[in-house]
Amino acid sequence: MSRASAVPDYPQLFEGEQATRASILRAALEVFAQRGFEAASLREITERAQVNVAAIHYHFGTREALMQDVMRAVAGPLNRLRLADLDAACAQGQPGLDEVVRALVSPPVMLSAAATGEPRLLMRLLIQARALPREATNSAIFEQYDAMAIRFVEALIAATPGLSREDAFWSYAFAIGALMYIVSDADQAYHRLQRISGGLCDTDEPATIVRQLVAFITAGIRGRVAVAAAPPAGAVKVSRVAKAAGTVSPAAKTTVRPARR
């Protein structure tokens, strides 16, 4: 299946923005994602947008404000799609863990392949923001992502009996890490997984990435619950040694079967 046939008809970025402002945002997205926030220049952004520097100052005020608005423009439709997918799953009753995780990872994978001419440009921008944190991008990330993260943590807990709140937060963080890594690995200029696997891993296919991510993340979460529910191996061993030595505590004796006579 080709990428085009796998990508749903997601809304385009900067939809509804005034034309000049949209051109600047799109150009800034491309330059920031490709060059990084530090190396990107306003001159290159204006050349791509075919505007002058005065237009940037008029619409955004400062370079930092432009960076924040680009982050908001990327995060807005992405998170609306995630929450819409989660709401749709919840509308059918309590969603399963697979449905919750798919709602979390599918929109960014699909949108990064569909929203711009260069696949995965959106995730590259987010990776830039996380790799080199700065106040302007941090505030935009916290503003756009924190509430959504809490919503998904709650959904993970509801979908997974036995999952503690602490482990749900760890699971969410590891899920985002896996998502960002595999999308960046699939960049056309890198393609390491596809190369070392001899083509077995098709990272040009967004639907394949989503399927593999959901399988990997859900297996990890279910495995964590299973481990948490099992008695610690060390405790079992100590209990047996204590029993053999006749030093079982009064509390532990209630769980020890009487010896057969």
Side-chain angles (χ1 to χ4, degrees):
M1 187 188 326
S2 68
R3 174 180 291 145
S5 63
V7 176
D9 186 21
Y10 283 140
Q12 295 296 299
L13 293 181
F14 319 125
E15 194 172 31
E17 293 278 3
Q18 188 268 347
T20 301
R21 181 180 169 87
S23 295
I24 296 171
L25 286 169
R26 185 170 291 106
L29 167 61
E30 294 172 356
V31 175
F32 287 146
Q34 293 167 356
R35 305 278 191 208
F37 290 105
E38 296 294 338
S41 70
L42 289 183
R43 178 179 178 180
E44 186 171 2
I45 293 172
T46 57
E47 288 177 351
R48 291 200 188 195
Q50 297 184 328
V51 299
N52 55 36
V53 175
I56 291 182
H57 293 309
Y58 174 79
H59 287 282
F60 303 97
T62 65
R63 175 192 175 92
E64 285 68 27
L66 173 59
M67 292 166 54
Q68 289 179 325
D69 280 359
V70 169
M71 294 297 298
R72 293 186 185 105
V74 169
L78 170 59
N79 289 336
R80 285 194 294 273
L81 288 167
R82 281 169 152 167
L83 294 174
D85 284 358
L86 183 59
D87 288 341
C90 291
Q92 305 300 317
Q94 173 57 51
L97 180 59
D98 286 37
E99 293 174 291
V100 173
V101 173
R102 187 174 295 107
L104 178 65
V105 303
S106 180
V109 172
M110 296 300 194
L111 188 59
S112 67
T116 68
E118 183 175 354
R120 301 176 177 87
L121 191 61
L122 307 184
M123 295 305 294
R124 189 185 294 178
L125 180 71
L126 293 176
I127 291 168
Q128 291 280 359
R130 289 175 180 268
L132 297 170
R134 51 190 297 167
E135 185 177 352
T137 54
N138 285 350
S139 62
I141 289 175
F142 299 158
E143 170 193 310
Q144 295 293 318
Y145 285 90
D146 284 6
M148 184 212 66
I150 297 296
R151 174 79 189 279
F152 271 96
V153 166
E154 299 291 355
L156 290 174
I157 294 171
T160 317
L163 182 66
S164 71
R165 190 170 183 83
E166 177 187 357
D167 285 341
F169 274 102
W170 281 113
S171 298
Y172 173 85
F174 292 144
I176 296 300
L179 164 68
M180 297 185 72
Y181 174 80
I182 193 58
V183 173
S184 64
D185 183 276
D187 191 284
Q188 295 290 332
Y190 195 57
H191 264 185
R192 182 170 184 264
L193 179 59
Q194 189 158 324
R195 176 175 53 79
I196 65 174
S197 70
L200 288 174
C201 301
D202 185 6
T203 50
D204 278 332
E205 177 51 70
T208 299
I209 294 176
V210 171
R211 184 174 65 253
Q212 293 290 348
L213 272 173
V214 171
F216 177 79
I217 294 166
T218 56
I221 294 173
R222 292 184 177 114
R224 184 67 190 94
V225 171
V227 168
V236 173
K237 183 176 180 180
V238 169
S239 176
R240 289 173 179 170
V241 171
K243 180 180 176 182
T247 58
V248 181
S249 68
K253 285 181 180 179
T254 61
T255 63
V256 177
R257 295 181 181 178
R260 293 183 179 180
R261 295 181 179 177

